[in-house]
mmCIF file of all heavy atoms in Angstrom:
data_model
loop_
_atom_site.group_PDB
_atom_site.id
_atom_site.type_symbol
_atom_site.label_atom_id
_atom_site.label_comp_id
_atom_site.label_asym_id
_atom_site.label_seq_id
_atom_site.Cartn_x
_atom_site.Cartn_y
_atom_site.Cartn_z
ATOM 1 N N THR Q 140 -4.612 -12.760 -6.421
ATOM 2 C CA THR Q 140 -5.020 -13.165 -7.765
ATOM 3 C C THR Q 140 -4.314 -12.458 -8.872
ATOM 4 O O THR Q 140 -4.839 -11.534 -9.433
ATOM 5 C CB THR Q 140 -6.523 -12.893 -7.903
ATOM 6 O OG1 THR Q 140 -6.737 -11.521 -7.632
ATOM 7 C CG2 THR Q 140 -7.417 -13.772 -7.051
ATOM 8 N N PRO Q 141 -3.173 -12.749 -9.283
ATOM 9 C CA PRO Q 141 -2.109 -13.557 -8.615
ATOM 10 C C PRO Q 141 -1.355 -12.599 -7.656
ATOM 11 O O PRO Q 141 -1.635 -11.386 -7.622
ATOM 12 C CB PRO Q 141 -1.227 -14.006 -9.698
ATOM 13 C CG PRO Q 141 -1.310 -12.938 -10.711
ATOM 14 C CD PRO Q 141 -2.694 -12.376 -10.636
ATOM 15 N N ASP Q 142 -0.356 -13.137 -7.013
ATOM 16 C CA ASP Q 142 0.477 -12.316 -6.122
ATOM 17 C C ASP Q 142 1.195 -11.249 -6.965
ATOM 18 O O ASP Q 142 1.643 -11.486 -8.039
ATOM 19 C CB ASP Q 142 1.543 -13.206 -5.458
ATOM 20 C CG ASP Q 142 0.856 -14.187 -4.445
ATOM 21 O OD1 ASP Q 142 0.235 -13.706 -3.543
ATOM 22 O OD2 ASP Q 142 1.069 -15.370 -4.612
ATOM 23 N N PRO Q 143 1.237 -9.997 -6.411
ATOM 24 C CA PRO Q 143 1.825 -8.914 -7.134
ATOM 25 C C PRO Q 143 3.370 -9.109 -7.329
ATOM 26 O O PRO Q 143 3.992 -9.739 -6.481
ATOM 27 C CB PRO Q 143 1.527 -7.689 -6.341
ATOM 28 C CG PRO Q 143 1.371 -8.223 -4.905
ATOM 29 C CD PRO Q 143 0.759 -9.583 -5.089
ATOM 30 N N VAL Q 144 3.893 -8.516 -8.337
ATOM 31 C CA VAL Q 144 5.325 -8.416 -8.505
ATOM 32 C C VAL Q 144 5.696 -7.012 -8.193
ATOM 33 O O VAL Q 144 4.871 -6.094 -8.183
ATOM 34 C CB VAL Q 144 5.755 -8.790 -9.978
ATOM 35 C CG1 VAL Q 144 5.452 -10.233 -10.271
ATOM 36 C CG2 VAL Q 144 5.130 -7.890 -10.999
ATOM 37 N N TYR Q 145 7.027 -6.758 -7.964
ATOM 38 C CA TYR Q 145 7.420 -5.421 -7.531
ATOM 39 C C TYR Q 145 8.775 -5.129 -7.957
ATOM 40 O O TYR Q 145 9.607 -5.967 -8.295
ATOM 41 C CB TYR Q 145 7.334 -5.295 -6.027
ATOM 42 C CG TYR Q 145 8.202 -6.205 -5.154
ATOM 43 C CD1 TYR Q 145 9.494 -5.820 -4.808
ATOM 44 C CD2 TYR Q 145 7.783 -7.507 -4.884
ATOM 45 C CE1 TYR Q 145 10.302 -6.713 -4.072
ATOM 46 C CE2 TYR Q 145 8.630 -8.404 -4.119
ATOM 47 C CZ TYR Q 145 9.905 -7.952 -3.742
ATOM 48 O OH TYR Q 145 10.770 -8.804 -3.062
ATOM 49 N N VAL Q 146 9.089 -3.814 -7.876
ATOM 50 C CA VAL Q 146 10.442 -3.293 -8.034
ATOM 51 C C VAL Q 146 10.771 -2.573 -6.718
ATOM 52 O O VAL Q 146 9.971 -1.770 -6.233
ATOM 53 C CB VAL Q 146 10.514 -2.303 -9.181
ATOM 54 C CG1 VAL Q 146 11.936 -1.612 -9.270
ATOM 55 C CG2 VAL Q 146 10.209 -3.007 -10.545
ATOM 56 N N LEU Q 147 11.938 -2.964 -6.156
ATOM 57 C CA LEU Q 147 12.426 -2.307 -4.919
ATOM 58 C C LEU Q 147 13.514 -1.287 -5.354
ATOM 59 O O LEU Q 147 14.400 -1.588 -6.130
ATOM 60 C CB LEU Q 147 13.036 -3.324 -4.034
ATOM 61 C CG LEU Q 147 13.901 -2.811 -2.854
ATOM 62 C CD1 LEU Q 147 13.063 -2.068 -1.914
ATOM 63 C CD2 LEU Q 147 14.588 -4.024 -2.131
ATOM 64 N N PHE Q 148 13.355 -0.077 -4.886
ATOM 65 C CA PHE Q 148 14.237 0.985 -5.258
ATOM 66 C C PHE Q 148 15.293 1.158 -4.070
ATOM 67 O O PHE Q 148 15.152 0.618 -2.990
ATOM 68 C CB PHE Q 148 13.521 2.326 -5.457
ATOM 69 C CG PHE Q 148 12.582 2.197 -6.644
ATOM 70 C CD1 PHE Q 148 11.199 2.282 -6.406
ATOM 71 C CD2 PHE Q 148 13.030 2.074 -7.959
ATOM 72 C CE1 PHE Q 148 10.322 2.092 -7.477
ATOM 73 C CE2 PHE Q 148 12.169 1.958 -8.969
ATOM 74 C CZ PHE Q 148 10.772 1.984 -8.783
ATOM 75 N N GLU Q 149 16.296 1.978 -4.364
ATOM 76 C CA GLU Q 149 17.451 2.183 -3.476
ATOM 77 C C GLU Q 149 17.056 2.717 -2.100
ATOM 78 O O GLU Q 149 17.701 2.458 -1.101
ATOM 79 C CB GLU Q 149 18.529 3.067 -4.079
ATOM 80 C CG GLU Q 149 19.012 2.595 -5.403
ATOM 81 C CD GLU Q 149 18.059 2.883 -6.619
ATOM 82 O OE1 GLU Q 149 17.145 3.860 -6.456
ATOM 83 O OE2 GLU Q 149 18.141 2.194 -7.592
ATOM 84 N N ASP Q 150 15.977 3.431 -2.016
ATOM 85 C CA ASP Q 150 15.549 4.058 -0.776
ATOM 86 C C ASP Q 150 14.550 3.274 -0.024
ATOM 87 O O ASP Q 150 13.800 3.676 0.858
ATOM 88 C CB ASP Q 150 14.971 5.430 -0.983
ATOM 89 C CG ASP Q 150 13.717 5.508 -1.916
ATOM 90 O OD1 ASP Q 150 13.392 4.395 -2.478
ATOM 91 O OD2 ASP Q 150 13.155 6.522 -2.103
ATOM 92 N N PHE Q 151 14.355 1.947 -0.445
ATOM 93 C CA PHE Q 151 13.453 0.982 0.223
ATOM 94 C C PHE Q 151 11.999 1.323 -0.060
ATOM 95 O O PHE Q 151 11.034 0.830 0.667
ATOM 96 C CB PHE Q 151 13.722 0.816 1.710
ATOM 97 C CG PHE Q 151 15.073 0.263 2.008
ATOM 98 C CD1 PHE Q 151 16.115 1.088 2.428
ATOM 99 C CD2 PHE Q 151 15.363 -1.091 1.802
ATOM 100 C CE1 PHE Q 151 17.372 0.558 2.646
ATOM 101 C CE2 PHE Q 151 16.574 -1.648 2.128
ATOM 102 C CZ PHE Q 151 17.608 -0.779 2.495
ATOM 103 N N THR Q 152 11.717 2.143 -1.124
ATOM 104 C CA THR Q 152 10.302 2.242 -1.588
ATOM 105 C C THR Q 152 10.112 1.311 -2.733
ATOM 106 O O THR Q 152 11.048 0.706 -3.216
ATOM 107 C CB THR Q 152 9.991 3.707 -2.076
ATOM 108 O OG1 THR Q 152 10.890 4.002 -3.162
ATOM 109 C CG2 THR Q 152 10.293 4.753 -0.870
ATOM 110 N N HIS Q 153 8.864 1.113 -3.131
ATOM 111 C CA HIS Q 153 8.526 0.147 -4.105
ATOM 112 C C HIS Q 153 7.563 0.626 -5.132
ATOM 113 O O HIS Q 153 6.848 1.673 -4.879
ATOM 114 C CB HIS Q 153 7.818 -1.103 -3.412
ATOM 115 C CG HIS Q 153 8.662 -1.859 -2.488
ATOM 116 N ND1 HIS Q 153 9.007 -1.376 -1.202
ATOM 117 C CD2 HIS Q 153 9.260 -3.071 -2.604
ATOM 118 C CE1 HIS Q 153 9.735 -2.275 -0.602
ATOM 119 N NE2 HIS Q 153 9.965 -3.311 -1.415
ATOM 120 N N ALA Q 154 7.442 -0.099 -6.278
ATOM 121 C CA ALA Q 154 6.325 -0.044 -7.126
ATOM 122 C C ALA Q 154 5.825 -1.493 -7.232
ATOM 123 O O ALA Q 154 6.601 -2.433 -7.437
ATOM 124 C CB ALA Q 154 6.652 0.513 -8.478
#
Side-chain angles (χ1 to χ4, degrees):
T140 57
D142 293 301
V144 294
Y145 64 91
V146 174
L147 169 64
F148 299 110
E149 303 78 23
D150 61 353
F151 296 102
T152 63
H153 296 75

